Amino acid sequence: MIDKQHLINRFISYVTVDTESDPESNTTPSTAKQWDLANALVEELKQIGLEDVTIDENAYIMATLPSNVDHEVPVIGFVSHFDTTPDFTGANVQPQIIENYDGGDILLKGVDGLALSPKDFDDLLLYKGNTLITTDGTTLLGADDKAGIAEIISAMEYLVNHPEIKHGKIRVGFTPDEEIGRGAHKFDVKKFGADWAYTMDGSQIGELEYENFNAAGAVVTIKGKIVHPGYAKGKMVNSMYIATQFIDSLPRTETPETTEDREGFYHLHHMNGEVDGTKLQYIIRDHDKKKFELRKELMLKLAKDMNLELGSERISVEIKDQYFNMREKIEPVMHIVDIAEEAMKKAGIVPLIKPIRGGTDGSQLSFMGLPCPNIFAGGHNFHGRFEYVPVESMLKAIEVIVNIAQITAKRP
């Protein structure tokens, strides 16, 4: 369908541009360097022949592939994000290309002795014989979600070059700052004008998701008291000891490394402390809305109880909701999931319909009036040095996009 080397070149041209987002920034996009790729994508969309290509003051990109049928067809959209996570560096990405993967260890040449191994990541064995793109061990890869962008643009290019394939109007949208929970915040759903859309932002080939976590972020601030340690008795209050007690008081078996499927968790992802003050940053996740609310209540109650025990207001907790489970918005329009499932089967893919243990722009967009299930983009081990993507999975994702366009055009 799409020339394999052309796809590889396109993907690498994206991942070698640093687009790391910044949760501490108040601008949109949160980092100026996201504009570098955003502006390049605008020019590429124009070059392949899309129409109405726009980029707004916040770097949200939209474009149109006009319908080539003479009957009324729903307008569908495909969405991906171009930022990468601030959890691990995406600067100076040096991709490795592994042809005809043999099922063994892959040396990540940027770090002595480091290997991407099926002993640690058994999903690698699904891709024996494939071409894999990996990191060199010093950075993440950026397949989340530059694989999705490469797939959408490649699919649109294919449809432009093959007008015999019938489709309705298709809208394309690329967003900044998804990795810090803001990807849909300034997305203009009305301007986008689609009846529904799909985010190409999943992982393993075949993934099709219309459930995700309810999500919140929590900042726990602990105030201590610093005095000279030689004269500290009865005076010093070490905030780091209080922080340790707070951390240990949350359920230790309800963390990311101990949960799976629909099980929720508390995740301490950043900690910064001194005697005089400590800050803990958590994310709170649960698929079940009632359990999600209980998790937030537990953190607030823990702070209240510890303050009573300490005899002063030393702990404060600020919780902000980030996104909610899109299932309630997708179930009334399940035909859009059925279309994606049919498109996968047509491509010879076994659909893996399961909840997302994470979030996607699609969850927020669904609550904004744009129902938006999530489809695989092919990458694995996102947000770290062991990230990789099979090129054949990306090629299949392109085929799924084209199939969705065809199927939608044939439906009444």
Side-chain angles (χ1 to χ4, degrees):
M1 177 180 284
I2 294 289
D3 178 74
K4 183 176 176 180
Q5 190 59 51
H6 181 51
L7 175 61
I8 291 171
N9 293 344
R10 170 171 279 153
F11 175 68
I12 288 177
S13 75
Y14 300 161
V15 301
T16 49
V17 180
D18 181 10
T19 56
E20 182 178 319
S21 48
D22 178 7
E24 301 301 320
S25 168
N26 293 319
T27 63
T28 305
S30 62
T31 51
K33 56 191 172 183
Q34 290 183 62
W35 283 104
D36 296 337
L37 182 55
N39 288 325
L41 292 173
V42 167
E43 294 308 310
E44 188 173 12
L45 289 167
K46 293 176 181 177
Q47 181 183 1
I48 67 169
L50 295 197
E51 299 181 5
D52 303 323
V53 180
T54 63
I55 183 167
D56 68 13
E57 67 275 13
N58 297 305
Y60 285 76
I61 300 168
M62 296 183 184
T64 300
L65 178 64
S67 172
N68 64 1
V69 296
D70 56 8
H71 57 278
E72 189 172 339
V73 175
V75 178
I76 60 173
F78 294 94
V79 178
S80 289
H81 64 90
F82 48 78
D83 69 311
T84 60
T85 181
D87 292 344
F88 200 75
T89 182
N92 302 311
V93 173
Q94 302 291 325
Q96 297 184 165
I97 299 175
I98 313 301
E99 301 280 1
N100 193 24
Y101 173 57
D102 62 6
D105 290 359
I106 299 171
L107 293 179
L108 303 179
K109 298 177 182 178
V111 181
D112 288 344
L114 189 67
L116 176 62
S117 173
K119 298 185 186 74
D120 301 315
F121 306 105
D122 58 3
D123 47 57
L124 277 163
L125 298 177
L126 297 170
Y127 306 110
K128 288 179 69 172
N130 282 197
T131 297
L132 305 186
I133 303 177
T134 76
T135 76
D136 71 347
T138 62
T139 69
L140 52 69
L141 180 61
D144 180 13
D145 190 25
K146 293 169 184 175
I149 292 175
E151 291 154 7
I152 292 170
I153 290 183
S154 296
M156 295 304 105
E157 183 178 38
Y158 186 81
L159 290 171
V160 168
N161 293 335
H162 291 82
E164 72 278 7
I165 298 175
K166 299 305 176 184
H167 57 81
K169 181 179 178 180
I170 300 173
R171 290 284 277 161
V172 169
F174 300 142
T175 71
D177 292 338
E178 190 269 356
E179 295 293 356
I180 56 174
R182 305 180 201 163
H185 282 192
K186 297 181 180 180
F187 190 98
D188 190 335
V189 168
K190 183 177 179 181
K191 177 183 174 183
F192 196 59
D195 293 289
W196 71 82
Y198 301 93
T199 47
M200 302 299 298
D201 195 16
S203 182
Q204 180 180 341
I205 186 170
E207 284 186 353
L208 173 56
E209 301 150 327
Y210 64 94
E211 300 180 58
N212 61 278
F213 278 135
N214 296 290
V219 177
V220 182
T221 303
I222 299 152
K223 292 185 286 188
K225 185 190 294 182
I226 180 72
V227 295
H228 190 290
Y231 305 91
K233 186 173 181 179
K235 300 173 184 176
M236 179 184 288
V237 178
N238 192 322
S239 72
M240 292 181 285
Y241 294 149
I242 300 172
T244 300
Q245 183 183 346
F246 187 95
I247 293 166
D248 289 342
S249 296
L250 289 172
R252 188 63 187 85
T253 57
E254 297 179 17
T255 59
E257 62 270 29
T258 61
T259 53
E260 60 184 352
D261 298 327
R262 289 183 173 81
E263 295 173 336
F265 58 74
Y266 305 89
H267 176 42
L268 176 63
H269 61 92
H270 282 91
M271 177 168 59
N272 192 311
E274 299 175 342
V275 171
D276 204 43
T278 295
K279 180 182 287 187
L280 309 176
Q281 296 184 56
Y282 281 88
I283 60 173
I284 306 167
R285 300 290 188 263
D286 212 299
H287 281 89
D288 184 280
K289 188 67 180 295
K290 290 182 180 178
K291 292 180 180 178
F292 174 63
E293 296 299 331
L294 288 172
R295 289 186 183 282
K296 293 188 288 183
E297 289 173 15
L298 177 60
M299 290 195 81
L300 294 170
K301 184 177 185 301
L302 175 58
K304 181 179 179 181
D305 291 347
M306 287 183 64
N307 282 332
L308 286 172
E309 182 183 334
L310 292 164
S312 60
E313 296 288 319
R314 296 205 169 273
I315 307 170
S316 62
V317 180
E318 181 183 9
I319 298 176
K320 292 183 178 180
D321 289 331
Q322 295 169 325
Y323 51 82
F324 300 104
N325 191 340
M326 64 181 164
R327 178 174 179 168
E328 67 178 85
K329 299 298 182 181
I330 301 297
E331 285 185 329
V333 288
M334 277 298 289
H335 67 280
I336 70 178
V337 176
D338 296 339
I339 288 171
E341 186 175 3
E342 182 182 345
M344 288 187 188
K345 290 177 178 177
K346 185 177 177 182
I349 299 167
V350 177
L352 303 173
I353 301 177
K354 61 185 186 66
I356 308 170
R357 282 185 63 80
T360 167
D361 277 343
S363 59
Q364 293 186 52
L365 291 173
S366 293
F367 280 88
M368 293 164 65
L370 180 66
C372 201
N374 192 46
I375 292 174
F376 72 92
H380 288 259
N381 303 339
F382 295 148
H383 297 192
R385 66 178 83 244
F386 296 106
E387 188 181 0
Y388 73 93
V389 63
V391 177
E392 285 77 4
S393 295
M394 295 174 66
L395 288 166
K396 281 295 184 182
I398 295 166
E399 190 175 347
V400 168
I401 294 170
V402 171
N403 288 347
I404 288 172
Q406 289 182 290
I407 293 165
T408 306
K410 291 178 182 177
R411 291 207 168 199

